[in-house]
Amino acid sequence: MTSIATAVRRQALSRPVVREAFIELVATAFLLIAVVGSGIMAERLCGGIVGIALLANAIATGGALTALILAFGPQSGAHMNPVVTLAAAATDGLRWHAVPAYIAAQIVGAILGVWLAHIMFELPIWQLSQHARTGLPQWVAEVIAAFGLLAVIWGCRAHREPVTAFAVAAYITGAYWFTASTSFANPAVTIARSLTDTFAGIPELNGLAIEMPWAVKR
Amino acid sequence: MTSIATAVRRQALSRPVVREAFIELVATAFLLIAVVGSGIMAERLCGGIVGIALLANAIATGGALTALILAFGPQSGAHMNPVVTLAAAATDGLRWHAVPAYIAAQIVGAILGVWLAHIMFELPIWQLSQHARTGLPQWVAEVIAAFGLLAVIWGCRAHREPVTAFAVAAYITGAYWFTASTSFANPAVTIARSLTDTFAGIPELNGLAIEMPWAVKR
Amino acid sequence: MTSIATAVRRQALSRPVVREAFIELVATAFLLIAVVGSGIMAERLCGGIVGIALLANAIATGGALTALILAFGPQSGAHMNPVVTLAAAATDGLRWHAVPAYIAAQIVGAILGVWLAHIMFELPIWQLSQHARTGLPQWVAEVIAAFGLLAVIWGCRAHREPVTAFAVAAYITGAYWFTASTSFANPAVTIARSLTDTFAGIPELNGLAIEMPWAVKR
Amino acid sequence: MTSIATAVRRQALSRPVVREAFIELVATAFLLIAVVGSGIMAERLCGGIVGIALLANAIATGGALTALILAFGPQSGAHMNPVVTLAAAATDGLRWHAVPAYIAAQIVGAILGVWLAHIMFELPIWQLSQHARTGLPQWVAEVIAAFGLLAVIWGCRAHREPVTAFAVAAYITGAYWFTASTSFANPAVTIARSLTDTFAGIPELNGLAIEMPWAVKR
């Protein structure tokens, strides 16, 4: 996202923060529509084979991420993630005074996205997740997922701009499967997911509750 | 599609509208062959697990869209969608007098594509869908799907040309799963789909009839 | 493949046809290893749900095609298909005297690839397909598949070189599902497939024998 | 990886080998997290249909490889494979004195990755594979897989840099299905896999034990 950050820097004087924050809000809302909406659809159609649902969920999220980062990256950086925004401020020249607006917009957008997914699939808009999960393995997964995401973003600085979009989308598509992370190392997603109680598919296998990224206890 | 639109503008005097409209017809016919044909094949092979059929349908449509936009984009813009054509006329410099020819070609091409899919899979060519679906959730889904598609197309203007093809294909692959849209915000597809009655897979789950993009009531 | 063809033209004097033909042989052998090998593996692992096998077959073939066209395209054009070679000679400047060597190499390579797949999966090397299929729907499918492939290759001339690889691979991944073609409009594949009798999955559904691209009657 | 190798050459004097080796360690650890972690998740969620597990495993590995090569390629070449490192030294200008450090880092990283996957999925860290497989078909598969990988890397020298990442990831995604290789022609993966005994899915079908890349006998 170097070139994106460069663009952000260049436009710092001519483009008000509120416009960029609004773009983040829209992009993050779409990301949550993709994560939650495809999770609902996938669970309903997977015939009880959770692996098919997770495959659909991962592919749909990857497709959406590719499109969202390509479309909104040149406008706001398409962070859609407070961790990415903080990293961009620390190392990529994003103005620090823009950070609170970005993060607030990401959280509001994420919640809006969850609600729009509920509306589309004819579910109660207001829900609370019964879900809670913690412990060392979970934290190791979150740290690995977050470290990998930042490594991909930083490493792609050596390439021209659109490459980052494909790298991040490919990474997240894989990370659905390999990190056991339930929040994609994204605090905005974590907050928004606490407001959906739509999915139940938590297979208890081999003594470990495998929770799909979108899985919550009913 | 900025650069595509630029190319369209540049060639406005030297290239007759009829040629571009013919390209749109061929491209839209192929799109419907991909949507309807892969839907027929997928339903027949999915062993009753609708999620597998929708996954195949989404991946096949995404592959076809990638190829069609890359191949026909430089010729006509590869809109394959009246909404995209109207947006291109409003903001991207497509000549307004070309719009009727584009839209007519897209509708004719879409219908031809449905009929060719019927022929390939040894089905009656002439069919009428028994399908009707409406209501607030459906309209929310269509508005979100259409808004997202235009946002992706507009947002990708900041990139070089072939990027739009990958972004639109990735978006539609995801949107099969996350928007619950049954027409991809594409009036030509809506019209053409009313002429196929091939698919039955409408699982009634959780009190909501999930209709796959290609699903119709028998 | 314009730029590829340009490279071919430029090197016409310095590079002997035999070298390019050998590259075609290797590339086509790998293509058939991918088509037949992934078909064997997929059939064995799909648990009787043919849609899963076809999805794996299509994704594996698409991945292999992407890699093969990117890797061998700059050397020989990576046609791997007599129809593409003839089209390249007719319109892209491939020397006509190279055509017989290309086509012979593609056929030999395709047969070698089938045999190597048999060896890897511990099957009898020499087999004859019991398979025969013809009729109008089949011919419509083959014509559509071939026309689409050439349209994609020709249309991508407007882009820089590596784009064609992604477009062709995406097209074929989709065409596994939407054209009902059993030979990908590729005579070399058709010949080579007559030498493998490994797959049985021909579901008779809705009165139509859906044959997967790699399916043969036992 | 030509351009990557060029970068490596250019920086040979200014960048200590130890830094590049550390990058290889991190990249290879992530690769094994992706291979083993997605294998564990996939096996648990596939409902006994091994094809779904292998599809998820292949797609997750392909996504991770895309991201890892794009992110770490400009730093160290992102070989993640002793065979690739040896080939880079023989033909691409990697300094020979860097080879031992690269290979040691790849092996250590691969083992660390396996252990981190075990921790994330709450499994015993220290395991020994009961797995042993050999014979002509297996060796043919390994030779084909390795030859294909090197052909893809060498062939992509004709393109600009980021193309290699997509080509290698697409090749490996396909090769999960078509080569019957269990180690991806990667000695570091072979060594690391001997330290995990997590997967059982070895279907004995048609007289041949199909072993998934991550499959071991219990």
Side-chain angles (χ1 to χ4, degrees):
Chain A
M1 295 203 177
T2 311
S3 52
I4 294 172
T6 310
V8 166
R9 243 174 280 135
R10 208 181 310 123
Q11 296 159 345
L13 300 173
S14 63
R15 188 187 275 175
V17 168
V18 68
R19 187 183 177 284
E20 292 174 357
F22 180 71
I23 300 278
E24 283 293 311
L25 186 154
V26 171
T28 314
F30 253 103
L31 176 61
L32 268 288
I33 289 173
V35 170
V36 174
S38 70
I40 298 173
M41 180 86 100
E43 190 195 34
R44 288 182 179 170
L45 300 183
C46 77
I49 304 174
V50 181
I52 294 172
L54 189 58
L55 197 54
N57 203 202
I59 289 174
T61 303
L65 267 176
T66 303
L68 292 172
I69 301 178
L70 287 173
F72 297 117
Q75 313 291 324
S76 71
H79 301 166
M80 301 176 276
N81 185 340
V83 172
V84 174
T85 294
L86 287 169
T91 70
D92 253 352
L94 180 72
R95 301 141 292 161
W96 276 105
H97 77 269
V99 169
Y102 263 59
I103 292 178
Q106 288 158 357
I107 293 171
V108 172
I111 294 172
L112 273 179
V114 169
W115 288 347
L116 284 168
H118 288 169
I119 291 173
M120 275 199 291
F121 288 93
E122 302 186 18
L123 295 167
I125 294 177
W126 177 257
Q127 306 181 19
L128 283 181
S129 171
Q130 314 292 323
H131 165 73
R133 190 180 169 200
T134 188
L136 181 68
Q138 181 66 13
W139 281 102
V140 171
E142 294 297 338
V143 168
I144 288 176
F147 173 76
L149 179 60
L150 294 179
V152 169
I153 293 173
W154 283 329
C156 284
R157 288 178 187 174
H159 301 288
R160 286 182 309 277
E161 190 185 324
V163 168
T164 305
F166 296 103
V168 168
Y171 174 79
I172 295 291
T173 300
Y176 262 77
W177 285 95
F178 65 71
T179 66
S181 164
T182 59
S183 66
F184 319 113
N186 186 336
V189 171
T190 304
I191 291 171
R193 282 185 64 255
S194 74
L195 296 174
T196 189
D197 192 30
T198 44
F199 313 112
I202 306 179
E204 298 266 353
L205 292 162
N206 303 16
L208 170 66
I210 290 292
E211 300 183 58
M212 286 170 295
W214 39 266
V216 295
K217 279 209 185 92
R218 278 198 202 277
Chain B
M1 293 202 178
T2 310
S3 52
I4 293 171
T6 311
V8 166
R9 242 174 281 136
R10 208 182 309 124
Q11 296 159 344
L13 300 173
S14 63
R15 188 187 277 175
V17 168
V18 68
R19 187 184 177 284
E20 291 174 357
F22 180 71
I23 300 278
E24 283 293 312
L25 187 153
V26 171
T28 315
F30 254 103
L31 176 61
L32 268 288
I33 289 173
V35 170
V36 175
S38 70
I40 298 174
M41 180 86 99
E43 190 195 32
R44 288 182 179 168
L45 300 184
C46 77
I49 304 174
V50 181
I52 294 172
L54 189 59
L55 197 55
N57 203 202
I59 289 173
T61 303
L65 267 176
T66 302
L68 292 172
I69 301 178
L70 288 174
F72 297 117
Q75 312 292 323
S76 71
H79 300 166
M80 300 175 277
N81 185 340
V83 172
V84 174
T85 294
L86 287 169
T91 70
D92 252 353
L94 180 72
R95 299 141 294 162
W96 276 104
H97 77 268
V99 169
Y102 263 59
I103 292 178
Q106 288 158 356
I107 293 171
V108 172
I111 294 172
L112 273 178
V114 169
W115 288 347
L116 284 168
H118 289 168
I119 291 173
M120 274 199 291
F121 288 93
E122 301 186 21
L123 295 166
I125 293 177
W126 177 256
Q127 307 181 18
L128 283 180
S129 170
Q130 315 291 324
H131 165 74
R133 189 180 171 201
T134 187
L136 181 66
Q138 181 67 11
W139 281 102
V140 171
E142 294 298 336
V143 168
I144 289 177
F147 173 76
L149 179 61
L150 294 179
V152 168
I153 294 173
W154 283 330
C156 284
R157 287 178 187 176
H159 302 287
R160 286 182 309 276
E161 190 184 325
V163 168
T164 305
F166 296 103
V168 168
Y171 174 78
I172 295 292
T173 301
Y176 261 77
W177 284 95
F178 66 71
T179 67
S181 164
T182 58
S183 65
F184 320 112
N186 186 337
V189 171
T190 305
I191 292 171
R193 282 184 64 253
S194 74
L195 295 174
T196 188
D197 192 30
T198 43
F199 313 112
I202 307 179
E204 297 266 351
L205 291 163
N206 303 16
L208 170 64
I210 290 293
E211 301 183 57
M212 287 169 296
W214 39 265
V216 296
K217 280 208 185 93
R218 278 197 202 277
Chain C
M1 294 201 179
T2 311
S3 51
I4 294 172
T6 310
V8 166
R9 244 174 280 137
R10 208 181 310 124
Q11 296 159 343
L13 301 173
S14 62
R15 188 187 277 175
V17 168
V18 69
R19 187 183 177 284
E20 291 175 357
F22 180 71
I23 300 279
E24 283 293 312
L25 187 153
V26 171
T28 315
F30 253 104
L31 176 62
L32 269 288
I33 288 173
V35 170
V36 175
S38 70
I40 298 174
M41 179 86 100
E43 191 196 33
R44 288 183 179 168
L45 300 184
C46 77
I49 304 174
V50 182
I52 294 172
L54 189 58
L55 197 55
N57 203 201
I59 288 173
T61 304
L65 267 176
T66 302
L68 292 171
I69 302 178
L70 287 174
F72 297 117
Q75 312 291 323
S76 70
H79 300 166
M80 300 175 276
N81 186 340
V83 173
V84 174
T85 294
L86 287 167
T91 71
D92 253 353
L94 180 73
R95 299 140 295 161
W96 277 104
H97 77 269
V99 169
Y102 263 59
I103 292 178
Q106 288 157 357
I107 292 171
V108 172
I111 294 171
L112 272 178
V114 169
W115 288 347
L116 283 168
H118 288 169
I119 291 173
M120 273 199 292
F121 288 92
E122 302 186 19
L123 295 167
I125 293 177
W126 178 256
Q127 307 181 20
L128 283 180
S129 171
Q130 314 293 323
H131 165 73
R133 190 178 170 202
T134 187
L136 182 66
Q138 181 67 11
W139 281 103
V140 171
E142 294 298 337
V143 168
I144 289 178
F147 173 77
L149 179 60
L150 294 180
V152 168
I153 293 172
W154 283 329
C156 284
R157 288 178 187 175
H159 301 287
R160 286 181 309 275
E161 189 184 324
V163 169
T164 305
F166 296 103
V168 168
Y171 174 78
I172 295 292
T173 301
Y176 261 79
W177 284 95
F178 66 72
T179 68
S181 163
T182 59
S183 66
F184 320 112
N186 185 337
V189 171
T190 305
I191 292 171
R193 281 184 64 254
S194 73
L195 295 175
T196 189
D197 193 28
T198 44
F199 313 113
I202 305 179
E204 297 266 354
L205 291 163
N206 304 15
L208 171 65
I210 291 292
E211 301 183 58
M212 285 170 297
W214 39 266
V216 296
K217 280 210 185 92
R218 279 198 201 275
Chain D
M1 294 204 178
T2 311
S3 52
I4 293 171
T6 310
V8 167
R9 243 174 279 137
R10 208 182 311 123
Q11 297 159 343
L13 301 173
S14 63
R15 188 186 277 175
V17 168
V18 68
R19 187 183 177 284
E20 291 175 357
F22 180 71
I23 300 279
E24 282 293 312
L25 186 154
V26 171
T28 315
F30 253 104
L31 176 61
L32 268 289
I33 288 173
V35 170
V36 175
S38 70
I40 298 174
M41 179 86 100
E43 191 195 33
R44 288 182 179 168
L45 300 183
C46 78
I49 304 174
V50 181
I52 294 172
L54 189 59
L55 197 55
N57 203 200
I59 289 174
T61 304
L65 267 175
T66 303
L68 292 172
I69 301 178
L70 287 174
F72 297 117
Q75 312 292 323
S76 70
H79 300 165
M80 301 176 276
N81 185 341
V83 173
V84 174
T85 294
L86 287 169
T91 71
D92 253 352
L94 181 71
R95 300 141 294 161
W96 276 104
H97 77 267
V99 169
Y102 263 60
I103 292 178
Q106 288 158 358
I107 293 172
V108 172
I111 294 172
L112 273 178
V114 169
W115 288 348
L116 284 167
H118 288 169
I119 290 173
M120 274 198 291
F121 288 92
E122 302 187 19
L123 296 167
I125 293 177
W126 177 257
Q127 306 182 20
L128 282 181
S129 171
Q130 313 293 322
H131 165 74
R133 190 179 169 201
T134 187
L136 182 67
Q138 181 66 13
W139 280 102
V140 171
E142 294 298 337
V143 167
I144 289 177
F147 173 77
L149 179 61
L150 294 179
V152 168
I153 292 173
W154 284 329
C156 284
R157 289 178 186 175
H159 301 288
R160 286 181 307 278
E161 190 185 324
V163 168
T164 305
F166 296 103
V168 168
Y171 174 78
I172 295 291
T173 301
Y176 261 77
W177 285 95
F178 66 71
T179 67
S181 164
T182 58
S183 67
F184 321 112
N186 186 337
V189 171
T190 304
I191 292 171
R193 281 184 63 254
S194 74
L195 296 174
T196 189
D197 192 29
T198 45
F199 313 113
I202 306 179
E204 298 266 353
L205 291 163
N206 303 17
L208 171 64
I210 290 292
E211 301 184 57
M212 287 171 296
W214 39 265
V216 295
K217 279 210 185 91
R218 278 198 202 276

